[in-house]
Amino acid sequence: MSERESPPVGAERSVRVVETRGLTRTYQSGPETIEALVDVDFHVERGEFVAVVGPSGSGKTTFLNLLGLLDRPTAGELYITGEDATALGERERTRARKRFIGFVFQQFYLIPTLTAQENVEVPRLLDRDAETPKRAAALLTQFGMGDRLDHRPDELSGGQKQRVAIARSLINEPRLVLADEPTGNLDRTTSRRILEEFQRICTEGVAVVAVTHDELVEEYVDRTVEIVDGELTA
Amino acid sequence: MNPIYERFPWLLMARRNVSRTPVRSALAALGIVIGVLAIASLGVFGTTLQYSVTQNLGGIGNDVTVSPATDHGVQYLTDRDVREVRRAVSTDVVVPVEQGRGTVTYGRSQTIAPLYGIDRPGGIFTAADGRIPTPLRSGVLVGSSLADRLGVRAGNSITVNGKTYRVKAVLEQQSGISAVNANGGLVVPPAAVGQQGYDQIVVRASSARTANRSAMAIKARLNRRQTRVSVFEFSSITKQISNVFDVVNYFLVGIGSISLVVAGVSILNVMLMSAVERRQEIGVLRAVGYQKRDVLVVMLTEAVLLGVGGGVVGVVFSAAAGLVINQVILGDPTFTFAPTNLGFFAAAFAFAFVTSLLSGLYPAWKAANRDPVEALRS
């Protein structure tokens, strides 16, 4: 965390996908101030697979929400691909999420009325891009779901749903995929396959940050950081 | 993908969402169907009643009567007045009428009846039995109710004021409002009344508009120097009747509108439930880069789909109801598609659209503005 100078424009490889400096998030609960996250310095390189572990209520999800621009820090700075994203407004953060970040959730959160392929298209659905359906189909095929394009979520197994969710997180060609307990609802064999998929994404240059309780994840990641009581330890 | 969805991608999501809870959506849309049906069919019903009543009045609106201006001391109209009226209106039927009373005897029945001395009654009366001669010289025409009372038919002989006449025709039953109502009386040659001048002149035009023009022309010509005549346009009666029906119609449609507002409340309810149930899903949309506005559009589209779906079905049902109403009351189902009725269909549909849009606004706004972090917390 010592390299604080900004890299030259165009030096894509050396740009950190995401970087935080002194990131702090506190909540006001009546007269009490709850420190969910305190002074976190953190960064992820291109193509890196990082696990964030820690006990329940330690601030992992708060951290993920901040990295994903869903929440705003109380103090500290946040950079996405070298650009300051700390003070972005609501609309800009939404736009930046769309451009740089993919999300994968424990409960998959697929839209039950849409097919697998349409679910993958969802983030780009309003763009009226004729290429989107092809790209969605190609992504699903990559994840071995080529024969399930027209299946509704309730016709898919947990592992299949999570693969649809991962494909959805990649449809916008993000730099960073944030996964909240991605194996939490899956059995061990399926979990391994999902984690292999994440590894494969990383070889394509996408960084993955996974918040997890699952020790299995640690076998697959490049690096594990731990959050305890809102403080990050490498 | 369907080209419509390619063009309006949020429609895909909205349509699928509507079909997610089919019974609930159908019930919400049913409310709109009932509302539209209420507005449109009550509107059509009102129009039909109005049309039916004005039909029964017949061409009464085309009639103008010219009477002596008694307020100004004019007691009767002269031949000169008749000529002036003829000149003023040129194309219309002009029938001067003398009025009196007479004792009418047929067989053993005797009664006192009004007499209308008219030279050419063919212009304003039609015969139910027999033929109306022009001019009326020696015979009489008997009004329908008097003929019923006396049992007179065309061809019989009848005594009026001691003089015997042949009944040339029995007149057709006339409606309650008419320029000269001879139902209970006799139309006789003017000489039989034996009065000085005329009591009124009936002017029958081809339409209410020309009647109005004639009335103006008569007033201008005859009352130029001094007020000699008063002119009454029967179209003023039909106008008043029309106005009453318009009010009744608005009232009926107003009542129908209440049901559409209630339907709006049910859409509001359904959309609120839907927004709560899909909290996390909407959170995901926001996470993957949907702006608040995008979520708002998807949710509003859902509400409007319910409104438009219900509206279309409602209009189809109202058209069916209109066909039945018009078949029963007028015997002419095509009257359903008269311009006024098409207006009611369009208004009911537009009202359904606006109601659903307004009902969707609050739930959509609520869904769009929920913090995605909160929404995604399971």
Side-chain angles (χ1 to χ4, degrees), chain A residues 90 97 118 122 125 128, chain B residues 7 9 16 286 290-291 378:
Chain A
E90 172 76 38
R97 280 202 296 274
E118 285 165 348
V122 158
L125 202 61
R128 302 194 187 118
Chain B
R7 191 88 185 269
R16 298 277 176 84
R286 296 279 287 119
Y290 278 47
Q291 296 286 0
S378 42

